[in-house]
């Protein structure tokens, strides 16, 4: 096989102990040069996936090599599934660290305690396996170092866990009884290059395949398919190591390899991923091709595809399955891409290694821009100020170049791959420069990315992580400083909006900046999925749950998907924020403004509908005619007259853009974008104070309500028992409230606890009975502090309803915002919840774009958001009224509604979902099964678990406030 421009590959030295190769900095020995990956051809192949015999040893040299010999009896060994990780199959335990190496940093040495898994598979060749020709044994991914034998012959060893390695084995095969032996070491010199924020999971976790190589097979080939947006033509040239012909029937192409052909084509984009089926035919093999024509360039300081600048609305994606780890099957990969497409995501960064190659096939087919990232991260060296960092040590450069080559050669024929990334968080050094130079020399048709290159010496774009909104705006305006070269380059946030726990907040504010400045070409949310491991003890386990010596806790659970691939509220919010059609209302003029925010597609694939709601009930709907606007264009569209039969009340228009027909990624009527705007304002609830409080035997009655005569505490509303009603300012801190250990900004969660807001005391100052009101005066304050909240509860009634007005006045020097401000109380039982307001999902001040005003129903249990680490969740915003547990609650103004079967304190104390069980809380002997919060305000979320905190406009300042609730008994049962 020819390897025309590849770097020189290192090899392990001869001599020394059998396991010397483990600590050698070379990429390995014996493997064939890397080449293009393709899923199939007409040549025979044999999958060696399945059940393998397995033996685990404590060290690299604990066992001899006799297991690789023919006739070895492994009948007493365990069995594991390949692809798979042995630590997820009952052998050892997983380890999670964010950046710390879980072994002493002494490159390239690794501990003697080095779990080593011997894998054994005996196989027969199929009866129709050709007798002539050669064969290649391919490993698509093994962590972190492997040595391979076939029929007793040592054929080589390799490192580079997320990269393919092939070995020529045709001369060793026999018709039956072939013995394939693989020794896998958890730790190796290669581990120093693989310090990504993820679980350390050894094993053969991707496919193992035997490929027949007939005489005259295709070897390696490079599909060059560019597009000229000025002429509408594409130019195809397929360079092949073996001469052959290329045919593309749909384009009438039949040409020799190496010869360019220019024809009219439809270009490939993430929005319209047009692929042409072709065939590369050599003397001995026919390889199917899926060809997408597109041109990527850096032009006018922007990343352009087919002549147009693109805006990345992306996510970072680690490969993950809660039971199988990184051993993903095709169905799971397809599910990921479908979910991305259905949530308006148009780009993915393969953090921080090349994915399974089949994932890129799906990106080609369904349409995603891809930043393909090399299997390189040395983040742990930051602990020693990057001293001895391998990327700045020439001894490691062959390994770095090998990794770059294996990524580029494997993935070079994918139109979805528009940018190569050198790796992640590996500092800077000569090795990275060598990688960039080699990649640019091998493939000039794509751009190069690396976030750590702040001077942009080796990259085609300026890339940062977690820059706050203010800095991003300065960059957009060109006021960020840096080298002249950097200021002339486009900017992307390769990581932003850390999606850990409840959040991220501030997505809409970032998107506004991206759409305001051409230089800002979008970003990639960190990250796609929580890496929780399914576990009976905890629901989903995270770092530390397996007894790790070093770990970073639940920092591994920071995705837009929960581990079971259910979308989080953060993903629903992201979909709304990045939707490709803007719908803005002009209620007074009877029109709606529609803007096409696609980069390439017009609106012909979408249908538009309108609906008219009064008090949350739809009273009219229909189709809306919208022109097929080209990208970037806006139209004012006339709305129909409101239905003549519409009742009076608060009214809204809702306009939706849906798929007009089934697509490859979603069915017809799938909602792509929507907008809602008010027509008429809400009338606040009015309660005329016609009744006065009456003192009885230990109770005060006021209309339908009764109160404790001594404390003024509410006891009942009609037949509904209420317990513990009082001002509440505490929430179970979110991951973003708590912030990250290295954060230098304000970490509100820590400040709140330091001030004592999680243990507020309630002092009763007075219970006053007036002619038309019951007034209860209190002071709410933390122990050991002088600050407090003077709180007055004023109750009035019209005979059938009771109105509570809460007045709050801060006392002392409040230097921090409040977590929340409202009341909470307990109900003995509740199940169904009905409300009119924002929904259907949770929303908070800086994460509420996806909340639509309507009438919604749920159960108390379904109101909860199942974050892997329990925390504040489940608030519904802009609630006008709600019905729960027999109570009807109306707000003045609108409020946040939260209801759960445990107290905030129990939620705050929980470390895992399984720690939360329905509980009781008491006040004067009364039990509560459901706790309800009615909040006048909530503090913003931000993304300070790794990024910035909430913007100041989303702070809940400690300032005077007044808010009211009207309570009455519903005609429904208390649990209805």
């Amino acid at each position: 096989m020819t390897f025309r421009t590849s770097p020189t590959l290192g090899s392990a030295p001869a001599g020394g102990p059998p396991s010397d190769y483990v600590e050698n900095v070379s990429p390995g020995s014996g493997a064939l040069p890397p080449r293009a990956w393709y899923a199939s051809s007409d040549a025979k192949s044999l999958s060696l996936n399945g059940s393998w015999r397995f033996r685990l040893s404590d060290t690299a040299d604990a066992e001899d090599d006799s297991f690789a010999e023919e006739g070895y009896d492994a009948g007493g060994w365990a069995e594991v599934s390949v692809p798979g990780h042995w630590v997820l199959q009952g052998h050892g335990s997983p380890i999670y660290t964010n950046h710390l190496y879980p072994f002493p940093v002494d490159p390239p040495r690794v501990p003697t305690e080095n779990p080593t898994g011997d894998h054994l598979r005996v196989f027969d060749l199929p009866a129709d396996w050709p007798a002539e020709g050669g064969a290649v044994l391919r490993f698509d991914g093994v962590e972190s170092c492997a040595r391979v034998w076939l029929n007793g012959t040592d054929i080589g060893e390799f490192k580079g866990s997320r990269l393919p390695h092939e070995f020529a084995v045709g001369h060793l095969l026999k018709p039956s009884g072939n013995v394939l032996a693989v020794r896998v070491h958890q730790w190796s010199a290669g581990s120093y290059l693989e310090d990504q924020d993820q679980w350390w999971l050894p094993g053969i976790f991707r496919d193992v395949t035997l490929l027949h190589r007939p005489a005259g097979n295709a070897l390696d080939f490079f599909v060059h398919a560019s597009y000229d947006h000025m002429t509408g033509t594409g130019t195809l040239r397929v360079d092949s190591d073996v001469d052959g012909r290329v045919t593309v029937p749909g384009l009438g192409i039949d040409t020799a390899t190496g010869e360019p052909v220019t024809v009219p084509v439809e270009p490939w984009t993430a929005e319209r991923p047009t692929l042409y089926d072709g065939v590369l035919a050599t003397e001995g093999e026919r390889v199917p091709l899926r060809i997408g024509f597109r041109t990527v360039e850096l032009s006018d300081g922007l990343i352009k595809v087919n002549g147009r600048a693109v805006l990345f609305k992306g996510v970072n994606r680690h490969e993950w399955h809660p039971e199988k780890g990184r051993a993903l099957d095709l169905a799971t990969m397809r599910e990921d891409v479908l979910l991305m497409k259905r949530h308006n995501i148009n780009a993915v960064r393969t953090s921080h290694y090349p994915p399974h190659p089949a994932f890129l096939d799906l990106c080609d087919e369904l349409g995603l821009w891809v930043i393909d990232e090399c299997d390189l991260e040395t983040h742990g060296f930051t602990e020693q100020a990057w001293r001895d960092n391998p990327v700045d040590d020439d001894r490691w450069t062959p390994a770095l170049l090998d990794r770059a080559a294996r990524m580029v050669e494997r993935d070079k024929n994918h139109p979805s791959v528009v940018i190569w990334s050198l790796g992640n968080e590996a500092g800077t050094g000569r090795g990275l420069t060598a990688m960039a130079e080699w990649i640019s020399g091998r493939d000039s048709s794509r751009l190069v990315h690396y976030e750590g290159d702040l001077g942009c010496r080796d990259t085609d774009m300026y890339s940062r992580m977690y820059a706050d909104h203010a800095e991003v705006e300065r960059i957009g305006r060109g006021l960020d400083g840096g080298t002249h070269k950097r200021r002339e380059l486009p900017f992307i946030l390769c990581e932003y909006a850390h999606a850990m726990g409840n959040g991220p907040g501030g997505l809409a504010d970032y998107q506004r900046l991206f759409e305001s400045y051409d230089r800002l070409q979008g970003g990639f949310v960190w990250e796609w999925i929580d890496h929780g491991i399914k576990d009976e003890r905890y629901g989903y386990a995270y770092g530390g749950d397996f007894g790790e010596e070093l770990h970073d806790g639940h920092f591994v659970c920071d995705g837009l998907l929960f581990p079971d691939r259910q979308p989080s509220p953060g993903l629903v919010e992201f979909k709304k924020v990045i939707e490709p059609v803007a719908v803005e209302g002009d209620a007074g003029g009877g029109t709606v403004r529609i803007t096409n925010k696609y980069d390439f597609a017009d609106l012909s694939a979408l249908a538009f509908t309108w609906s008219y709601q009064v008090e949350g009930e739809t009273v009219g709907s229909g189709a809306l005619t919208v022109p097929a606007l080209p990208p970037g264009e806006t139209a004012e569209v006339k709305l129909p007259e409101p239905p003549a039969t519409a009742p009076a009340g608060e009214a809204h228009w809702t306009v939706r853009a849906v798929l007009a027909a089934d697509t490859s990624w979603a069915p017809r009527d799938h909602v792509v974008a929507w907008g809602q705007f008010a027509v008429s304002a809400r009338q606040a609830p009015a309660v005329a104070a016609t009744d006065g409080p009456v003192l009885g035997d230990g109770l005060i009655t006021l209309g339908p309500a009764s109160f404790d005569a001594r404390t003024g505490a509410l006891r009942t509303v009609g037949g509904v028992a209420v317990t513990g009603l009082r001002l509440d300012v505490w929430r179970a801190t979110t991951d973003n409230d708590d912030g990250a250990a290295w954060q230098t900004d304000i970490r509100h969660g820590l400040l709140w606890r330091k001030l004592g807001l999680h243990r507020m005391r309630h002092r009763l100052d007075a219970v006053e009975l007036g002619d038309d009101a019951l007034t209860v005066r209190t002071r709410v304050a933390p122990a050991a502090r002088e600050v407090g909240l003077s709180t007055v509860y004023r109750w009035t009634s019209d005979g059938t309803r009771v109105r509570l007005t809460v007045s709050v006045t801060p006392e002392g020097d409040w230097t921090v915002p409040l977590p929340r401000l409202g009341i909470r109380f307990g109900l003995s039982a509740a199940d169904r919840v009905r409300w009119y307001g924002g929904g259907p999902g949770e929303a908070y001040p800086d994460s509420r774009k996806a909340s639509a005003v309507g009438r919604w129903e749920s159960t108390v249990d379904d109101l909860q958001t199942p974050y892997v680490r329990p925390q504040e969740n489940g608030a519904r915003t802009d609630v006008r009224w709600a019905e729960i547990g027999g109570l009807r609650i109306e707000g003045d103004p609108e409020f946040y509604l939260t209801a759960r079967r445990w107290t905030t304190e129990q939620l705050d104390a929980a470390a895992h979902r399984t720690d939360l069980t329905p509980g009781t809380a008491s006040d004067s002997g009364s039990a509560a099964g459901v706790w309800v919060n009615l909040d006048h305000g909530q503090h913003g979320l931000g993304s300070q678990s790794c990024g910035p905190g909430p913007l100041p406009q989303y702070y809940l300042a400690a300032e005077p406030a007044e808010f009211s609730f009207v309570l009455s008994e519903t005609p429904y049962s208390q649990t209805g």
Side-chain angles (χ1 to χ4, degrees), residues 3 6-12 24-28 34 159-160 163 165 193 374 390-391 393-406 430-432 434-435 438:
F3 192 46
S6 299
T8 302
L9 306 183
S11 60
N24 192 277
V25 298
S26 78
K159 308 177 189 76
L163 296 161
H165 294 82
L193 304 180
C374 197
V391 305
D393 183 335
D394 292 339
R395 295 175 301 166
W396 294 82
T397 299
L400 302 181
L401 291 172
D402 178 71
R403 288 171 185 248
R406 291 189 182 278
R430 299 184 298 276
L432 287 168
M435 293 171 70
W438 185 87

Side-chain angles (χ1 to χ4, degrees), residues 892-915:
D892 182 14
E894 294 83 17
F895 59 95
Y896 289 89
L897 170 69
T898 310
R900 51 178 66 104
R901 299 192 188 280
W902 33 79
T903 65
T904 297
E905 291 74 19
Q906 290 167 327
L907 182 64
D908 198 25
H912 296 87
R913 296 181 190 176
T914 50
D915 295 335

Side-chain angles (χ1 to χ4, degrees), residues 103 110 146 239 266 300 422 427 597 630 722 785 842 875 896:
F103 48 80
V110 295
D239 293 335
E266 289 294 324
D300 303 320
L422 303 181
K597 299 167 85 171
V722 180
R785 305 294 177 185
E842 75 178 23
Y896 289 89

Side-chain angles (χ1 to χ4, degrees), residues 714-727:
L714 179 66
R715 288 287 175 246
T716 62
V717 176
V720 180
V722 180
T723 187
L725 188 149
R726 63 187 188 184
L727 189 79

Side-chain angles (χ1 to χ4, degrees), residues 251-270:
L251 296 174
I253 292 176
D254 184 346
T255 188
T257 54
E259 294 296 324
V261 179
T262 300
V263 293
V265 299
E266 289 294 324
W268 187 98
T269 69

Side-chain angles (χ1 to χ4, degrees), residues 275-305:
L275 293 173
Y276 292 93
D277 290 326
V279 173
L280 166 62
T282 64
E283 177 186 355
E285 187 176 16
R286 291 174 59 85
V287 181
L289 305 177
R290 302 208 77 189
I291 302 164
F293 291 87
R294 56 105 186 97
T295 294
V296 184
E297 61 182 338
L298 184 64
S299 175
D300 303 320
L302 298 173
I303 301 166
K304 292 185 178 180
V305 179

